[in-house]
Amino acid sequence: MLFEQIATGGCQSYLVGCAATRAAVLIDPELSRVDEYRGLIGQLGLHLRYVVDTHTHADHFSGSRDIGRALDVPVVMHRFSPAPHAAFRLDEGDLLMAGDLRLKAIHTPGHTADSMCLLLEDRVFTGDTLLIGGTGRTDLPTGDAHALYESLFEKVLTLPPETLVFPAHDYKQRSHSTIAAELADNPRLQKRTRAEFVAMMQGLDLTAPTHLTEALRTNMTGAKPVSQLLAEAAAKVPFMSLAELASRVGSNTCDMVILDLREREAFDAGHVPGAVHLPRGQLELRVNTDLPDPTVKILTCCEFGKISTLAAATLRELGYLRATALEGGLAAWRDAAYPLSDRAA
């Protein structure tokens, strides 16, 4: 077996491959590392057969959909997953076959209704069902403390004691554990009766994950997170530096439209001299009247450079092929002590 563990902060992803056939499976990829996974797959001479999410993640963004599309491989999840992009759905006991590898699905609801573990030879990939020194939480959507108790004590923890445990998260730089070690040392597993375990899980006072709503929205539907939208927009537009804009504003040959996309109050409080006000929310509705010449150079501005990046990409899609965005936005312009005007252009 070929085996690679890839850590992204506290998130853990796994690439397993068949040494004989080079067929491979990628488990719980993180969106920000998609290019690295693809590079690693190529470097090792592997052919990816499946990309798997062990459950609907609520604390980070899955890279499964993007990898699946890029490499034309199916996204695999449990059959209870709500994700529309999961083309291959597993039931209890189903096997994923990649060359000589056999990964057995074990449905382990509790952290989420669609949680599953994958048993492969001497190891089990436990997702967020069983962590090193902990378990998945049960207070998020579709979580159930009773179901988690059954998944742990009636399924996962009945595996041979020497079985290696590879979870989807670990924040202490530990690579793996074993079933025996978790039974002996995991504080949550010392509550051996259902009543004690459920009471403990329901009494945990945990803060919500930072990106809870956005992660659930994107992972459940296949939509894109804002960071990905920004990255894709940034790849489609050029940028103008603050110094370049300052040199043009300071001359009498500023041959472009400087488009300030902020709301009126922010615009009136101070804007780049000569800028035209057009709120982002009205851009598509007013673009034909306010920007009648599609060949003109347009520089979009906002407070921090994010909305202007999205707007510049939109303008290019609408046919304004010389649209560009101000790097850093008005906040950086002010910090650099460049001139501001409070007079309407």
Side-chain angles (χ1 to χ4, degrees), residues 4-19:
E4 295 285 340
Q5 183 172 7
I6 307 101
T8 306
C11 300
Q12 303 290 330
S13 304
Y14 304 95
L15 179 64
V16 293
C18 171

Side-chain angles (χ1 to χ4, degrees), residues 93-232:
D94 284 347
L95 294 177
L96 273 186
M97 302 175 67
D100 296 333
L101 300 181
R102 302 290 185 272
L103 292 91
K104 180 181 178 180
I106 306 171
H107 185 211
T108 54
H111 175 59
T112 63
D114 65 342
S115 288
M116 65 178 178
C117 299
L118 295 172
L119 181 63
L120 172 63
E121 299 178 8
D122 64 344
R123 63 200 63 197
V124 60
F125 302 97
T126 55
D128 280 15
T129 298
L130 176 61
L131 306 177
I132 301 174
T135 66
R137 60 197 295 168
T138 59
D139 59 331
L140 299 179
T142 77
D144 185 319
H146 288 275
L148 183 61
Y149 176 84
E150 295 169 3
S151 294
L152 287 168
F153 288 96
E154 297 177 14
K155 292 186 177 182
V156 179
L157 297 173
T158 65
L159 293 171
E162 66 274 15
T163 303
L164 302 175
V165 173
F166 289 93
H169 293 282
D170 188 76
Y171 297 92
K172 297 182 180 180
Q173 299 181 325
R174 297 167 294 191
S175 64
H176 66 280
S177 181
T178 64
I179 295 294
E182 293 310 306
L183 278 168
D185 302 325
N186 190 320
R188 293 191 186 177
L189 301 184
Q190 306 317 304
K191 306 294 185 181
R192 300 294 172 90
T193 70
R194 178 191 292 266
E196 288 179 322
F197 182 84
V198 169
M200 172 191 64
M201 295 303 298
Q202 292 179 343
L204 296 176
D205 184 19
L206 302 174
T207 58
T210 303
H211 303 290
L212 172 62
T213 300
E214 188 179 15
L216 286 176
R217 173 179 60 78
T218 58
N219 294 335
M220 290 176 70
T221 66
K224 296 177 181 179
V226 173
S227 59
Q228 186 175 9
L229 290 175
L230 284 167
E232 291 177 357

Side-chain angles (χ1 to χ4, degrees), residues 5 31 43 59 64 82 87 90 105 118 137 148 166 174 180 187 203 205 235 242 247 251 255 263-264 269 298 307 325:
Q5 183 172 7
L31 181 61
Q43 177 185 338
D59 53 359
S64 292
L90 300 179
L118 295 172
R137 60 197 295 168
L148 183 61
F166 289 93
R174 297 167 294 191
D205 184 19
L242 301 175
S247 69
S251 70
D255 56 346
E263 296 303 314
R264 170 59 68 177
I298 301 169
I307 292 174

Side-chain angles (χ1 to χ4, degrees), residues 2 89 112 174 280 326:
L2 301 171
R89 297 173 183 269
T112 63
R174 297 167 294 191
R280 175 63 186 90
L326 179 64

Side-chain angles (χ1 to χ4, degrees), residues 279-307:
R280 175 63 186 90
Q282 300 177 29
L283 180 63
E284 289 83 353
L285 299 177
R286 291 172 49 184
V287 66
N288 291 328
T289 55
D290 288 28
L291 300 168
D293 181 1
T295 68
V296 71
K297 184 172 183 62
I298 301 169
L299 177 67
T300 58
C301 306
C302 69
E303 188 65 18
F304 298 107
K306 295 181 179 180
I307 292 174

